[in-house]
Amino acid sequence: MAKKKRKSRKKQAKQLNIKYELNGLLCIAISIIAILQLGVVGQTFIYLFRFFAGEWFILCLLGLFVLGVSLFWKKKTPSLLTRRKAGLYCIIASILLLSHVQLFKNLTNRGSIESASVIRNTWELFLMDMNGSSASPDLGGGMIGALLFAASHFLFASTGSQIMAIVMILIGLILVTGRSLQETLKKWMSPIGRFIKEQWFAFIDDMKSVKTNMKSSKKAKANTSKKQKPARRKQQMEPEPTAEEEEQEMVSPLIHSEPIISSFSDRNESEEPPAAAEKQIEPVTEPLQENQSEADHNETAVAPPMTFTELENKDYQMPSLDLLADPMHTGQQAE
């Protein structure tokens, strides 16, 4: 009996494992077909998830894919109500709410809202999307977003619903991370606060330096003005020059500009060399001109034959033969 019970338990466990694997593979296949929009099955699942999540239907497909992987790998049903998953649900719900709020803002601006019911308007938009009659098929957050927006609009109005969505996002982050909001804000804001403090102190130092520079410039201006006041007073005390003095000042440079000559002889000596040079240059230029004219005339004439004759110098006497004698030797031995 005990062996039969053990065998039956093993068979049941194997059957459960096979079921989990089949269910996991089915979820994975549906999610992939729907993501790729393959055939009628893919389109039907897309419309199904668009009905619930609107423009965020991809989140449902990703959740289905993760569920299939967990069923296939762990071979047990995952717990859907944990702390982190509750935070993830809060974040997704706030995203759907914000998208539906934005959808109805756009509809009110266009003036295409027919009824005051949020759910009925969302249903009509979904039907138009399925029929293909809408030019821009925007479903916002789907029916889940419509329900959340209807409840929040009744309680908090449109701006209040946006504030509640932001609060839900913060709650979801706290639940997912498991950390207090104060600690995370300290970690994120501490470097920002340090940077702001450093910039503020640098700004204060710059302002102090500017003030000191202004004071020093004012002191320098005051000192220069004090120095210039006595000079101005001296200029004011000095009498103005008369017309006769101005004429004398104008004439004095002309008098001193002429060179002082010590004697007329020096001046004549300095003036004579150029005249002598001109006299020397003139006779040189005249023979040159005559030679050039003679050369021009002689170019046409034939040159006469040249004869060479030697003249005898009768007064020349031959040197004596004593010049060819050996010179006298004077050595140190004789000394």
Side-chain angles (χ1 to χ4, degrees):
M1 293 294 291
K3 289 181 180 179
K4 289 181 180 180
K5 287 181 180 179
R6 288 176 184 175
K7 288 180 181 179
S8 62
R9 287 177 183 175
K10 287 180 180 179
K11 285 181 181 180
Q12 289 177 359
K14 286 181 181 179
Q15 289 177 359
L16 286 172
N17 290 332
I18 290 166
K19 286 180 181 179
Y20 286 130
E21 287 181 358
L22 291 173
N23 291 325
L25 290 172
L26 185 63
C27 291
I28 291 166
I30 290 167
S31 62
I32 292 169
I33 290 165
I35 288 167
L36 298 175
Q37 297 181 4
L38 300 174
V40 179
V41 177
Q43 292 292 329
T44 52
F45 277 103
I46 284 170
Y47 283 124
L48 178 64
F49 290 121
R50 277 178 68 83
F51 175 76
F52 288 107
E55 298 298 320
W56 298 93
F57 67 95
I58 192 70
L59 296 174
C60 297
L61 295 173
L62 292 173
L64 185 63
F65 181 80
V66 172
L67 179 63
V69 170
S70 65
L71 288 172
F72 180 80
W73 191 258
K74 292 182 179 180
K75 293 180 178 61
K76 63 180 181 180
T77 55
S79 59
L80 300 175
L81 292 174
T82 59
R83 178 177 57 80
R84 291 183 178 178
K85 288 179 182 178
L88 187 63
Y89 298 154
C90 289
I91 293 167
I92 292 167
S94 62
I95 291 167
L96 296 176
L97 178 58
L98 288 171
S99 61
H100 220 74
V101 170
Q102 189 63 37
L103 173 65
F104 272 82
K105 280 185 179 180
N106 295 328
L107 292 173
T108 51
N109 292 325
R110 295 175 189 171
S112 58
I113 295 174
E114 296 179 356
S115 63
S117 177
V118 177
I119 296 168
R120 184 177 291 178
N121 287 316
T122 307
W123 174 253
E124 289 177 356
L125 289 171
F126 177 71
L127 292 176
M128 290 170 68
D129 186 18
M130 288 184 67
N131 295 324
S133 59
S134 62
S136 59
D138 187 8
L139 295 175
M143 280 294 172
I144 297 170
L147 291 170
L148 292 171
F149 180 60
S152 63
H153 189 271
F154 178 74
L155 294 172
F156 310 110
S158 62
T159 54
S161 61
Q162 289 178 353
I163 293 166
M164 288 301 297
I166 293 165
V167 171
M168 286 173 69
I169 289 168
L170 295 174
I171 291 166
L173 290 172
I174 291 166
L175 292 172
V176 170
T177 57
R179 295 178 182 178
S180 66
L181 186 62
Q182 184 180 1
E183 292 178 356
T184 54
L185 289 174
K186 281 182 179 179
K187 287 182 179 180
W188 292 351
M189 297 299 290
S190 60
I192 297 168
R194 289 174 186 173
F195 178 75
I196 292 167
K197 282 182 180 179
E198 290 176 357
Q199 295 296 322
W200 177 252
F201 287 126
F203 177 73
I204 290 168
D205 293 332
D206 292 334
M207 293 299 292
K208 287 180 180 179
S209 64
V210 169
K211 287 180 180 179
T212 53
N213 291 325
M214 291 291 287
K215 287 179 181 179
S216 62
S217 63
K218 286 180 180 178
K219 288 179 180 179
K221 288 180 180 179
N223 292 325
T224 53
S225 63
K226 286 179 182 179
K227 290 178 181 179
Q228 288 176 359
K229 282 180 181 179
R232 290 176 182 175
R233 287 177 183 175
K234 288 180 181 179
Q235 290 178 359
Q236 290 176 0
M237 293 295 289
E238 289 179 355
E240 293 182 355
T242 60
E244 293 178 355
E245 291 178 354
E246 288 180 355
E247 289 177 357
Q248 290 178 1
E249 289 178 357
M250 292 294 288
V251 171
S252 62
L254 295 172
I255 293 166
H256 293 292
S257 62
E258 293 180 357
I260 298 167
I261 299 168
S262 60
S263 64
F264 291 100
S265 63
D266 296 333
R267 185 173 181 182
N268 292 324
E269 287 177 358
S270 63
E271 290 178 355
E272 283 178 358
E278 288 178 358
K279 289 179 181 179
Q280 291 177 1
I281 290 164
E282 288 176 359
V284 173
T285 56
E286 290 177 356
L288 287 172
Q289 292 177 358
E290 291 176 358
N291 291 327
Q292 287 178 358
S293 62
E294 289 177 358
D296 294 332
H297 290 293
N298 291 325
E299 283 178 358
T300 56
V302 180
M306 295 178 69
T307 59
F308 297 97
T309 59
E310 294 181 0
L311 298 174
E312 185 179 357
N313 190 2
K314 293 178 180 182
D315 295 330
Y316 179 75
Q317 291 179 3
M318 292 293 289
S320 63
L321 294 172
D322 294 334
L323 294 172
L324 299 174
D326 294 331
M328 295 295 290
H329 294 283
T330 59
Q332 294 178 359
Q333 294 177 0
E335 292 177 359

